[in-house]
Amino acid sequence: MDANQNQTRPNPAWAAIATEAERLKRTKLLDLFAADPTRAEALTFAAPHLIADFSKQRIDAPALAAVAKLAEAMDFEGWREKMFSGGIVNATEGRSAMHWALRASDPPPEVRAAQAKMAAFAQRIRRDVDSVVHLGIGGSDLGPRLIIDALGAHRVRGIKVRFAANVDGADVRDAIDGLNPSRTLLIVASKTFTTQETLANAEFVRAWGPAHLAAATAAPEKAVAWGVPRDNVFPFWDWVGGRYSLWSSVSLACFIALPTGAFHRQLVGAEEMDAHFRSAPFMRNLPALSAAIQMWNREALGHESYALIPYSERLRLLPAYMQQLEMESNGKGVSRDGERLARSACGVTWGAAGTNAQHSFFQLLHQGVREIPVELLVNAGAHEGPPAHRAKVFANALAQARALMVGKTSGEPHRAFPGDRASTLMAIDALSPEALGALLAFYEHRTFTQAVLAGINPFDQFGVELGKEMANALLPALEGGQTPAGVDASTATWLRRLRAQ
Ligand code: F6P
């Protein structure tokens, strides 16, 4: 079947997957290790800056081969090439998805020009400001926020970066707290430049009197009309989805707060991962195999969610970032052609940084009734802070993965651990800009592969629209106006209860 055809007809590959799943459901993880002494190496795969060990997953070569057959039937290679050749992979919006072009070493001329403009602006503005306030939400917030946090060790000293996204005013009030407006740059990041939360926050901060205004947007005229000097409007384009926009001008704050060249190094790492994803066959392709494991856990074994645990304080925002990337991309109920899906393209992504999470929800992971697969990520390179901490971080990550699998018998039921619980252990080679770029590109391509396996379009997000429309319709009633006709009794009661005094 080629990349343009309907994929929702019953797919015989699923019968083979179901057979493998029935076999493996009856097999203990430790027995898989006992049966194959090479398992740890055989199920560890590498890509630029990243390795992943799937050996503690309830999967083996025949099961992976069955998923590879599904990938073939869903034309994984065709869709992958369609994305990388700029084809319309986002058919519902008539768009290509070319976020990868933002990190290409030979980018389109408009991308190169925007990058040069950002680099020059960053150099200049660092002389004038000591603070940057970045306002945006969703994809216009989570990416740069993660990058700034993750590359904190590389930050330019003396430049503070504050973020606010929420329309709860506490967020934006905290963002400017203690800053000097005459030494502050306000960046408004919004692809559409129509997002209620971002514009409300931007108006508040603009009224506070920041010395400089800039915008990152795909709607430059709207930014200019709002009052951003045309020279300070940094474009991106329709073919960059919001949650894939951290490679674009949305990361202007990172250009400013990271040393010259650091953002470029991140693009280089991402491009390395793009090259791997684009060329490696499915069975050696790390993003694709990782997508296969996710789909296997969810659709073949029935685990609805997975916990993402970065054993790295600097990657503590990764779960929040991944929630948007995976669930806004793949949280869909219909195929590309609008047919209802029998199998989902994503489950629930959740998690928090280890070791902190061990002291909260790991109880559920170890002894809860249902198994929840876990993905642990460590930084195998240099660590910051006291040197002795590094080994402790690793000991904890390894111990958790091992404890989940091995469990513990006990005469006392409350002290017993069922074990036989799956995890993936991944390592980046350093917390460098290159490795961060590669890691984030890895996750983008994994998300894309899951969409291909399920036959959906991961690049639209109509599911977020209805709530936005209703919020706009209800707002006047909360500001003292009439309750709109036809509102349900519960909402009407709440409108009365919360109406402005
Ligand atoms: O919440 C939906 C969404 O459209 C996201 O996809 C997007 O990243 C976010 O809102 C912000 O949109 P914008 O960049 O247009 O302000």
Side-chain angles (χ1 to χ4, degrees), residues 321-405:
Y321 172 83
M322 288 301 295
Q323 284 177 331
Q324 188 199 21
L325 181 61
E326 296 194 306
M327 296 198 277
E328 194 172 58
S329 296
N330 290 344
K332 316 271 168 76
V334 295
S335 74
R336 291 184 200 100
D337 301 312
E339 290 175 39
R340 282 225 68 76
L341 294 177
R343 296 180 183 83
S344 69
C346 91
V348 177
T349 303
W350 62 285
T355 59
N356 309 22
Q358 293 174 197
H359 300 271
S360 68
F361 56 74
F362 268 59
Q363 167 66 43
L364 173 82
L365 299 180
H366 285 291
Q367 288 188 315
V369 171
R370 290 191 188 85
E371 178 179 351
I372 298 172
V374 182
E375 182 168 299
L376 306 96
L377 173 66
V378 298
N379 161 24
H383 285 209
E384 297 166 62
H389 280 42
R390 184 172 181 271
K392 294 185 175 71
V393 171
F394 294 159
N396 276 280
L398 295 179
Q400 293 299 328
R402 181 168 153 69
L404 284 164
M405 176 170 75

Side-chain angles (χ1 to χ4, degrees), residues 137-140 190-193 195 242-243 324 328 461 464 468:
I137 197 163
S140 295
S190 176
K191 182 175 174 184
T192 55
F193 224 84
T195 303
R243 55 195 168 277
Q324 188 199 21
E328 194 172 58
Q461 60 284 317
V464 302
K468 284 190 207 171

